[in-house]
């Protein structure tokens, strides 16, 4: 928004310069509330429940479950994805990705 305002006033600035100056001045954008955005409504469907509530696995590596969640931190959003084996209840694998506030794609 700041860059667009400056461009409208005739200033020639890039987004990285604005981001660098904001960091130097310790300015941060205000995160908007995370609600169901209009573009996401109806575009995603849930996966079918193939377990049909049978959460007891007969042997290791027969039934896995997964989940993705986001955790708000002071530096941005941390996304966590995990896969768990239902037989041993141990985590098979997991992954995290960080999304910094004001820096999309980082």
């Amino acid at each position: 928004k700041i860059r667009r305002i400056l461009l409208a006033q005739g200033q020639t600035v890039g987004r990285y310069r604005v981001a660098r100056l904001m960091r130097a001045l310790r300015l941060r954008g205000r995160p908007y509330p995370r609600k169901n955005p209009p573009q996401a409504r109806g575009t995603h469907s849930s996966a079918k429940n193939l377990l049909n509530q049978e959460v007891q696995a007969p042997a290791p590596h027969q039934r896995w479950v997964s989940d993705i969640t986001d955790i708000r931190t002071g530096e941005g959003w941390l996304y966590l994805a995990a896969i768990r084996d239902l037989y041993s209840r141990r985590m098979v694998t997991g992954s995290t990705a960080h999304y910094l506030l004001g820096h999309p794609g980082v």
Side-chain angles (χ1 to χ4, degrees):
K1 282 184 173 181
I2 291 175
R3 180 175 179 260
R4 278 186 258 147
I5 292 169
L6 291 172
L7 289 173
Q9 293 175 355
Q11 299 287 327
T12 304
V13 292
R15 70 180 215 200
Y16 295 109
R17 180 183 176 98
V18 171
R20 187 177 70 248
L21 293 172
M22 286 180 66
R23 275 194 309 272
L25 296 171
R26 296 179 184 247
L27 295 176
R28 287 185 14 188
R30 237 174 108 191
Y32 57 90
R34 289 180 53 90
K35 294 183 180 176
N36 189 9
Q39 67 272 18
R41 287 186 207 133
T43 59
H44 297 70
S45 62
S46 297
K48 292 183 180 180
N49 183 355
L50 301 176
L51 294 176
N52 295 324
Q53 304 306 322
E54 296 176 30
V55 293
Q56 296 296 324
H61 306 296
Q62 297 295 311
R63 295 186 179 156
W64 290 355
V65 293
S66 66
D67 192 22
I68 299 173
T69 188
D70 54 351
I71 304 163
R72 188 176 187 172
T73 68
E75 298 172 351
W77 292 93
L78 178 68
Y79 293 93
L80 171 66
I83 298 175
R84 180 178 287 231
D85 182 6
L86 285 179
Y87 182 80
S88 65
R89 305 286 185 195
R90 290 186 177 175
M91 199 162 97
V92 175
T93 187
S95 180
T96 60
H98 211 116
Y99 177 82
L100 299 176
L101 290 176
H103 299 281
V106 174

